[in-house]
Amino acid sequence: KLIPMLEFIRENPRKVEYKEKMDISLLPNIFLSPKQFQLYQNTKWTNPKQKVKFCGREFEYGWHEYGAYTGLVPLLLALIGICFFLKQHWPLFLVGLISLWIALGNGASFNLWAVLHKLPIYESLHVPSRFILGFLFTISISCGLGLTKLESLCSKKIHKIIIMII
């Protein structure tokens, strides 16, 4: 699939200017707010005549570009997984952080998206927020690792209690 896609992009270039600036202060709303519909209500798609703001920041595209509700419990499990498995899986966690950094676009202190956007395939992408998926994938794997660690700790304690009872 890659070779025909590269040929198509080479023959039909689509260079896209990007204006998106996703501030770090929006991340709690994106990942922790169960009211993801507000992301839709506060975009240019719902009210194209009025410049709409969400938490004082402008959302250029639809909610599907920003909506990444994860919840507090999975994030805590992911934090446990990262703490216990950092040495084993540091490349995965690093890729997740880089994906989040790219997703911030102009909102990061160093705009990694601008560097990536100059590469041949990536110059046709519209928004850096699509890289949130790479971060979410890392969070989901980390959440599973954290749950596995909690399960092993609980099973050891339950096993000790059963042995003491018997």
Side-chain angles (χ1 to χ4, degrees):
K1 181 178 176 184
L2 179 65
I3 293 173
M5 185 178 78
L6 288 173
E7 182 180 350
F8 179 78
I9 289 174
R10 186 178 46 88
E11 291 175 3
N12 305 293
R14 182 183 85 161
K15 298 196 180 196
V16 177
E17 292 286 328
Y18 68 94
K19 303 179 253 182
E20 183 179 41
K21 180 180 181 179
M22 185 167 53
D23 198 279
I24 291 175
S25 65
L26 295 173
L27 293 180
N29 290 324
I30 289 171
F31 294 113
L32 296 174
S33 174
K35 298 176 182 176
Q36 294 289 298
F37 187 71
Q38 287 180 346
L39 297 175
Y40 176 72
Q41 289 176 326
N42 294 292
T43 60
K44 70 178 185 178
W45 303 102
T46 55
N47 195 352
K49 293 179 183 176
Q50 182 181 357
K51 200 173 198 178
V52 184
K53 302 278 182 178
F54 181 73
C55 294
R57 310 297 194 281
E58 183 178 332
F59 277 125
E60 183 68 24
Y61 295 98
W63 72 272
H64 58 279
E65 300 291 352
Y66 310 100
Y69 177 69
T70 306
L72 189 58
V73 173
L75 285 178
L76 289 175
L77 286 172
L79 187 61
I80 291 169
I82 291 169
C83 288
F84 281 99
F85 294 95
L86 183 62
K87 286 184 181 179
Q88 288 175 290
H89 301 290
W90 68 266
L92 173 69
F93 304 139
L94 182 64
V95 167
L97 284 175
I98 291 171
S99 294
L100 182 63
W101 186 6
I102 293 170
L104 289 172
N106 290 335
S109 57
F110 176 75
N111 190 350
L112 193 56
W113 168 252
V115 174
L116 187 66
H117 198 253
K118 291 179 182 179
L119 296 175
I121 294 175
Y122 296 101
E123 67 189 359
S124 64
L125 291 179
H126 280 279
V127 289
S129 60
R130 291 185 183 168
F131 280 86
I132 285 178
L133 294 175
F135 179 71
L136 283 178
F137 178 75
T138 304
I139 290 297
S140 65
I141 298 295
S142 304
C143 182
L145 291 170
L147 193 59
T148 300
K149 186 63 177 178
L150 284 180
E151 178 189 29
S152 70
L153 290 174
C154 288
S155 68
K156 286 178 184 176
K157 290 198 183 234
I158 290 172
H159 185 64
K160 285 180 183 179
I161 291 171
I162 291 173
I163 290 175
M164 287 173 40
I165 292 174
I166 296 176

